[in-house]
Amino acid sequence: MTDISVQVDHVSKRFRMYHERNQSLKSAIMRGRRSVHEDFWALKDVSFEVPTGSTFGLIGSNGSGKSTLLKCLAKIYYPEKGSISHRGRIAALLEVGSGFHPELSGRENVFLNGSILGMTKKEVTRKFDEIVEFSGVEQFIDQPVKNYSSGMYVRLGFAIAINVDPDVLVVDEVLSVGDAEFQEKCSQKFVDFKAAGKTVILVSHSMTAVQEMCDSAAWLSHGELVSVGAAEPTIRAYLESLNSPSA
Amino acid sequence: MRYITEVLASRELLANLTLREIRGQYKRTIFGQLWSLVNPLATMLVYTIVFAFILRVSPPPGNPSGLNIFAVWLLCGLLPWTFFATVVQQGMGSIIANAGLVQKVYFSRIVLPLSTVGSVGYNWLFEMGVLLVVLAVCGSFVWPWIPLVLVVMVLLAIFAAGLALMLSVANVHFRDTQYLVSILMQIWMYLTPIIYPISLVEQQSQAHGGLFGSSITLLDIYRLNPLERFVSVFRQLLYDNTWPNIQDLVLCAVWACASIVIGVGVFRRSEKGLAEAL
Ligand SMILES: Nc1ncnc2c1ncn2[C@@H]1O[C@H](COP(=O)(O)OP(=O)(O)OP(=O)(O)O)[C@@H](O)[C@H]1O
Ligand SMILES: [Mg+2]
């Protein structure tokens, strides 16, 4: 039972903060060999393990490094120190529908976005009906997606991403979009995921959602891991720290 | 080697991104793909008027084809050049244009510049097809040379892809790159015998003789330009209907290999830092 699905091992991530916009040749030349930047550590020595088949929540205030950590998990950023290992295929939902082409129809976009997320054409064809059904935009599937309402856009994007069928699903605050019915559908999907023995790592600012869905949670503050453990006490500790104005 | 398998694994994505560009390009236009012909035709018209009628530039007739039409001669060099310049400029901006994707999804980033080569190449193929018909109508016996033309087209695409890869990375770090490159491309075009025959350069070169007391002539330096070789091979095949100069052909291949090896090498080294540098 205590199989480890994702292991985050002493991960630190640094961003370079440049004083002036560095993206011009002039500034690079003027600077010469001196580099005018400050290091900013968005993650400092974070370590935890996520067991297979569990749902794991990441909480913390704005700018505490949650999204950065997820991006490291998704191989979008690479940590300067430490390492992340995981079992099986990992899929990240950092922003839904980011690969949509506005002029193309919903159908064409399903295939395009599916392949961006790493699905083969066969897989997408097989799951096409399921994706369309889940998104609830059957009627408009042959319309260009620029005519979609923002909710429909997100629904379709989410439906594709959730059908990638990963072993580890990484989700960043996408639950808050869509109407109540769709949110209900999404939470149900997460429950199914868990039942199928898959691991979910999610970020949310809604403590009730974390409480409801997660087995364990980690609390990040200013890039540092404050505590990690069962969801309930971690959330309580986090909420208490918010209520008591401390240094 | 691992990198190559990774890129091969994303060939389906590459195909889909290319299709996205091609399908999205002429959506909601009445003439659709025909627009891709308008640009070279307009340029051809302008250059023909200015250079053939006003400046009286007259390239030697095709040997052995006997063709002697400035506009057709021009297109044989202009179409490859336009393809090359478009790939370099669009490929250079491809990472920035897809910043949203790069920052949100993991995939092999190299498919972005490469898909530009695919979509621009598709238009080029269409233009070259039309050129073939025009050549045939004008009396050029071009059909046996088509396979070799395709080979050289692939070589030029590889050469352009390598440059686009290098520049796309540079452009993420220094946005000046795109402005600098668009100026350089204009200069480069006039340094390539596209709208004037190389015989004019030969004359100048002979008049000056060896430079600085050496045996290196102006022409030798002029011919270091890789595009000069490509353009002359295309003209030999399409306009003259003859075997291309073997040295030119080999040099085209060498340039293509060098460019793609350096391009992929540079791209691979900086690929991981792209998301945060954007
Ligand atoms: N590309 C970047 N370059 C420089 N700094 C960055 C970059 N991305 C994030 N940061 C910094 O890293 C810190 C953590 O950001 P992150 O997006 O991970 O926060 P978060 O926990 O997701 O916050 P939120 O709850 O608001 O989503 C912030 O201070 C941010 O300014
Ligand atoms: Mg965030």
Side-chain angles (χ1 to χ4, degrees), chain B residues 95-129:
Chain B
I95 305 279
I96 294 178
N98 289 289
L101 264 185
V102 173
Q103 286 172 313
K104 303 292 179 201
V105 196
Y106 170 77
F107 58 93
S108 196
R109 274 74 169 97
I110 201 167
V111 296
L112 290 175
L114 291 187
S115 74
T116 325
V117 180
S119 63
V120 180
Y122 173 84
N123 284 343
W124 186 34
L125 213 58
F126 178 68
E127 293 160 13
M128 290 297 269

Side-chain angles (χ1 to χ4, degrees), chain A residues 15 17 40 42 61-68 77 173 205, chain B residues 276:
Chain A
F15 288 115
M17 313 276 276
F40 172 76
S61 34
N62 292 137
S64 55
K66 304 180 297 293
S67 302
T68 307
Y77 293 160
E173 291 179 272
H205 285 294
Chain B
E276 51 194 278

Side-chain angles (χ1 to χ4, degrees), chain A residues 124-154:
Chain A
V124 185
T125 316
R126 186 156 47 81
K127 290 181 178 157
F128 188 78
D129 292 332
E130 203 181 321
I131 292 173
V132 175
E133 209 233 67
F134 189 82
S135 68
V137 296
E138 288 98 337
Q139 229 185 314
F140 305 94
I141 196 69
D142 285 311
Q143 291 280 313
V145 294
K146 62 171 183 177
N147 295 343
Y148 283 20
S149 77
S150 45
M152 285 156 67
Y153 200 86
V154 168

